Amino acid sequence: MFLSVIQGFLACSAQEPVSFSIEKDTVVVDIATLREDASFPDWKTVRLVGEGSSNVHLPTIFPNVETLSFHYTTGTRHLPKALDQLPFLSNLSIEGTNITDIPLSVSKIRLKRLEIAHNPLLESIPPLPYVQNELAIHHNRSLSALPDTLGAPKSITKWDFAHNNVRRISAPIQEYNSLRHVSVAGNQILQLPSEIASLPRLESLELQDNPLLSLPFDEESNNRIMQLKVHNLPNLVRISNWEGLSNIRSLSIHNCRRLRSLPTDWRPLKLLKKIRITDTNLSVLSLKLEALRNLESLAVRSNPNLTELSDVSLPDAMQNLLLNRNALRDIPLAVSEHPNLRILRMDENQLRTLPSGLCQNDRLLELSLGNNPLYDLCGEQFQMSSLYFLNIQGTQLRTLPQSLALLPNLEILSIGSIPFRKAPLHLANSKSLRVIRILGTADEYSERIKKDLKAVLPPTIRLEEI
């Protein structure tokens, strides 16, 4: 029974000893100290470390190794010989070396998992026909091409090719029907083969951080993808349709600064629960979503040119609607009168007035309208009886309606630094208010408003500086 960490030396004739340590079930060996007459016959898990290198005959040193890793052996420019003669090797990791190519001998090994990662000078990898379960080739910044054979087609379940410099996938993708997880994130890929979206067992596809011109999905696509992230695709101008994504539950589109158009027919996404659309070039967005009966949350934020929401129809299940930091001028009727909406955030748009339907919405719990050029708050028709939180800071309001003090559930009111004509002293009559948030550092006029409020507010209402 070994201790969790044991350090020691293994004598090798009259030569310098082998430096090693034991970490649980792993022997960790300084690669520079390996000698041909060293022997670790009992160890199945071996990690080679250190800044040196070695070209010893590994099968005689580690005859029973099953898991072997080169872990940041930065002095390694060529892998040791005879890796393919390790009879029990099933997991191989080549990480943090300075090799320029993977030797052909590696392609002959029947492995469960092969990882080739963080090798900054790596340029060439041979065909890999015998990797059975997982192939992870990632973070090799000089690698611009992958081999045409990427594991055993009938059994491999995971490809991780993230953050290389790969320009295309040339393997016959349609043969890899067991794939469940594929990542090509962080490469230089302009076009993905459409076959990748028709892998019948595919559950996740990571394609972010590529100069993709289009997405690979079409009406022929058949997969099990449940979450799609369309992130950081600087060349993507439009998405033509939502076909081939009938199983997704979550859709996120982020930082696609040239994206101008999304499909208007959302019906193929029948199982969708969450939508997030941020940092695009959209100016008009169709939200005809009533067919998406599972949709609970919609976030459309930080789209600086988005001025219009068209054909808005929201499913009954919708509860959270986040529309902040766009350029919207109006709140659509279908939003203001939605029967089950609980949270509506529309900060930092171009709203000047509110629709009457919103003013009398008796279901909404949170309404955030900060930093809009809003000059009217429904007059005395503000009767949102369920409202718990209201943010109107940074607006152009001059007065607050008397009806605010009568709302039975309003507990938090954020007014920031509104240029009131006079302090809204009637807020002191509220039976529900607990916190009024006001700007902490303000001009002399605002300080007077703050002072007047403090003079009349009861102890049950706290004035909180922000």
Side-chain angles (χ1 to χ4, degrees):
M1 189 73 177
F2 292 101
L3 295 176
S4 60
V5 176
I6 304 174
Q7 293 185 336
F9 296 96
L10 182 65
C12 301
S13 302
Q15 301 183 41
E16 290 293 324
V18 175
S19 176
F20 71 97
S21 63
I22 308 300
E23 296 181 4
K24 295 184 179 179
D25 60 350
T26 302
V27 60
V28 182
V29 182
D30 185 337
I31 191 172
T33 68
L34 272 180
R35 302 288 182 262
E36 291 285 0
D37 54 353
S39 180
F40 291 84
D42 299 324
W43 290 96
K44 296 181 179 181
T45 304
V46 176
R47 186 190 312 145
L48 302 176
V49 298
E51 298 180 359
S53 64
S54 179
N55 196 31
V56 295
H57 190 262
L58 291 181
T60 60
I61 302 173
F62 306 109
N64 294 301
V65 65
E66 296 177 1
T67 298
L68 173 65
S69 62
F70 295 83
H71 186 74
Y72 288 89
T73 56
T74 53
T76 299
R77 287 174 170 78
H78 302 283
L79 294 182
K81 56 191 176 183
L83 284 175
D84 57 327
Q85 296 177 29
L86 292 164
F88 304 107
L89 186 63
S90 60
N91 299 287
L92 176 61
S93 176
I94 304 166
E95 184 177 9
T97 73
N98 276 310
I99 61 175
T100 57
D101 60 86
I102 300 295
L104 187 61
S105 60
V106 172
S107 69
K108 302 175 183 179
I109 311 172
R110 187 181 180 88
L111 296 166
K112 290 181 180 178
R113 183 180 187 273
L114 173 60
E115 180 178 28
I116 303 171
H118 298 280
N119 302 286
L121 304 181
L122 181 66
E123 297 180 351
S124 175
I125 296 176
L128 300 167
Y130 301 121
V131 181
Q132 300 298 306
N133 297 334
E134 181 178 342
L135 183 57
I137 303 173
H138 59 92
H139 292 88
N140 305 287
R141 62 172 180 256
S142 298
L143 186 66
S144 60
L146 294 171
D148 291 342
T149 306
L150 293 166
K154 293 183 179 181
S155 64
I156 196 158
T157 61
K158 183 175 182 178
W159 281 350
D160 180 1
F161 304 142
H163 301 287
N164 299 300
N165 200 29
V166 171
R167 290 171 170 77
R168 65 190 181 94
I169 307 293
S170 57
I173 291 175
Q174 65 276 10
E175 296 180 6
Y176 292 85
N177 286 332
S178 295
L179 277 171
R180 295 183 179 181
H181 308 282
V182 174
S183 175
V184 294
N187 282 282
Q188 295 298 317
I189 299 172
L190 291 172
Q191 192 74 43
L192 280 172
S194 60
E195 291 85 356
I196 203 167
S198 290
L199 295 171
R201 297 184 183 180
L202 190 65
E203 297 173 3
S204 70
L205 174 61
E206 297 180 2
L207 44 73
Q208 60 267 27
D209 297 287
N210 275 287
L212 283 173
L213 299 173
S214 63
L215 300 185
F217 306 97
D218 58 33
E219 60 276 4
E220 302 297 327
S221 299
N222 177 30
N223 55 69
R224 299 180 184 178
I225 295 174
M226 298 180 65
Q227 182 181 66
L228 180 64
K229 293 182 179 180
V230 184
H231 289 189
N232 307 322
L233 304 181
N235 290 339
L236 189 66
V237 174
R238 66 189 298 263
I239 297 175
S240 57
N241 62 72
W242 296 124
E243 299 292 342
L245 290 166
S246 60
N247 290 306
I248 69 168
R249 272 68 164 174
S250 174
L251 171 66
S252 178
I253 301 173
H254 170 67
N255 195 30
C256 299
R257 300 295 179 87
R258 297 184 64 192
L259 183 63
R260 298 177 183 175
S261 175
L262 290 180
T264 58
D265 186 2
W266 293 84
R267 288 176 297 177
L269 308 182
K270 57 186 177 181
L271 300 179
L272 199 59
K273 290 186 175 182
K274 296 180 180 179
I275 300 176
R276 175 191 179 216
I277 302 171
T278 58
D279 294 293
T280 72
N281 195 30
L282 294 170
S283 58
V284 178
L285 176 62
S286 171
L287 290 182
K288 192 174 183 179
L289 305 172
E290 76 276 8
L292 308 185
R293 299 189 177 184
N294 297 296
L295 190 64
E296 298 173 354
S297 177
L298 172 63
V300 182
R301 301 180 301 199
S302 301
N303 303 282
N305 297 320
L306 184 61
T307 60
E308 182 183 351
L309 302 177
S310 67
D311 302 321
V312 180
S313 56
L314 304 178
D316 289 342
M318 172 80 70
Q319 294 188 8
N320 302 328
L321 185 55
L322 313 180
L323 299 173
N324 38 317
R325 297 194 297 276
N326 300 300
L328 298 171
R329 302 187 184 97
D330 302 294
I331 300 177
L333 185 66
V335 171
S336 63
E337 297 183 353
H338 191 281
N340 295 314
L341 204 62
R342 297 295 180 264
I343 296 175
L344 177 59
R345 296 177 186 168
M346 296 201 66
D347 309 85
E348 298 182 54
N349 281 281
Q350 295 299 316
L351 303 177
R352 299 181 65 83
T353 60
L354 301 180
S356 59
L358 181 66
C359 299
Q360 300 185 35
N361 186 312
D362 61 359
R363 300 290 185 90
L364 208 61
L365 303 178
E366 177 183 326
L367 177 60
S368 195
L369 303 167
N371 298 305
N372 278 282
L374 190 67
Y375 64 84
D376 179 63
L377 200 61
C378 307
E380 291 302 323
Q381 303 303 313
F382 199 89
Q383 299 173 10
M384 305 177 72
S385 57
S386 295
L387 199 65
Y388 169 84
F389 172 86
L390 174 62
N391 173 23
I392 49 175
Q393 66 183 52
T395 63
Q396 297 301 310
L397 295 169
R398 294 295 184 268
T399 60
L400 293 181
Q402 297 286 329
S403 56
L404 270 188
L406 303 177
L407 296 182
N409 292 294
L410 184 63
E411 292 192 18
I412 303 174
L413 174 63
S414 183
I415 60 177
S417 178
I418 295 178
F420 294 115
R421 292 191 180 97
K422 60 180 181 178
L425 302 182
H426 58 284
L427 294 177
N429 299 322
S430 173
K431 304 299 183 183
S432 61
L433 265 176
R434 296 292 176 263
V435 177
I436 298 176
R437 293 174 179 168
I438 195 165
L439 197 65
T441 55
D443 55 28
E444 182 179 344
Y445 174 79
S446 298
E447 287 295 327
R448 188 170 72 250
I449 295 290
K450 190 189 308 181
K451 181 180 179 181
D452 291 345
L453 277 174
K454 285 182 177 179
V456 299
L457 290 178
T460 55
I461 303 178
R462 183 173 78 256
L463 202 61
E464 186 177 275
E465 296 186 352
I466 55 176

